[in-house]
Amino acid sequence: VWTENPLLDPQALLQPMRIKDGKNQWYTPLKPLSVKVLEPRCTEIKICEGKFHQVKRMFEAIGHPVVSLKRTAIHRLQLDVPVGEYRSLSESEISDLIR
């Protein structure tokens, strides 16, 4: 996640918060599994759910609008394919995703 301004307190993302979903209903997202500041305006966050624009809404809720967001994995499946390209999933990756 790249934000408009530096994230000085990553612990703020681990505090209970209420955000709106895509239907303007309020909900409390599950706490992130981990939050790691890589650079002042670049943060790695791991979540276990992915509601409508959840990460963007979480960062906005603590005063850090998102400039850019890149998903790097889904569960244990790494999304390491260059933009515009694709690859076939292995049998074990398919099984893992189905579970």
Side-chain angles (χ1 to χ4, degrees), residues 6-7 9 11 19 31 34 37 39 45 48 66 68 88:
L7 179 62
D9 182 18
Q11 294 300 312
I19 59 177
K31 288 197 306 187
S34 68
V37 176
E39 297 176 22
I45 182 170
C48 60
V66 172
S68 180
S88 298

Side-chain angles (χ1 to χ4, degrees), residues 30-70:
L30 295 175
K31 288 197 306 187
L33 299 173
S34 68
V35 177
K36 179 180 177 184
V37 176
L38 304 175
E39 297 176 22
R41 293 177 49 220
C42 181
T43 305
E44 178 183 273
I45 182 170
K46 293 181 182 179
I47 59 173
C48 60
E49 64 179 353
K51 297 197 181 224
F52 185 77
H53 293 285
Q54 176 181 333
V55 171
K56 288 181 183 180
R57 292 171 194 265
M58 289 172 68
F59 275 82
E60 287 172 10
I62 62 167
H64 293 277
V66 172
V67 174
S68 180
L69 178 65
K70 181 179 178 184

Side-chain angles (χ1 to χ4, degrees), residues 15-33:
Q15 302 305 313
M17 65 176 71
R18 289 175 48 83
I19 59 177
K20 285 187 176 184
D21 66 11
K23 299 174 185 169
N24 283 329
Q25 299 293 316
W26 288 96
Y27 77 98
T28 303
L30 295 175
K31 288 197 306 187
L33 299 173

